[in-house]
Amino acid sequence: DNTAPVLTSVTVSPSTGQVGDTLTCAATATDADGGTPTVTLAWSDGSTASTYAIVSSDDPGDTITCTATATDTGGATDSDTAT
């Protein structure tokens, strides 16, 4: 029986930014089954890198989110979001 992985943290730093700044998303996960989950990241614009460059087309006041998804070798997943 496969147990889903658990995202233990998802962070975006710095917590605020302006045009020209780069945000970094980091996530960690554990798996009770003893495996090492694969963690993928996705920003609110659909990009999938660990960093996000704030550009002039980002509206001031927008909340930029990063969604982390942990997947174990059995295909079970866990997701969480940070802003």
Side-chain angles (χ1 to χ4, degrees):
D1 202 25
N2 186 34
T3 302
V6 175
L7 279 161
T8 54
S9 73
V10 181
T11 60
V12 172
S13 61
S15 59
T16 62
Q18 59 188 1
V19 172
D21 288 349
T22 299
L23 304 178
T24 301
C25 184
T28 57
T30 60
D31 187 3
D33 299 321
T36 302
T38 301
V39 177
T40 56
L41 305 172
W43 294 94
S44 46
D45 72 344
S47 61
T48 58
S50 62
T51 59
Y52 179 89
I54 300 174
V55 295
S56 60
S57 60
D58 292 317
D59 289 328
D62 274 358
T63 299
I64 299 170
T65 61
C66 176
T67 300
T69 302
T71 306
D72 68 13
T73 56
T77 62
D78 184 30
S79 293
D80 199 4
T81 300
T83 57

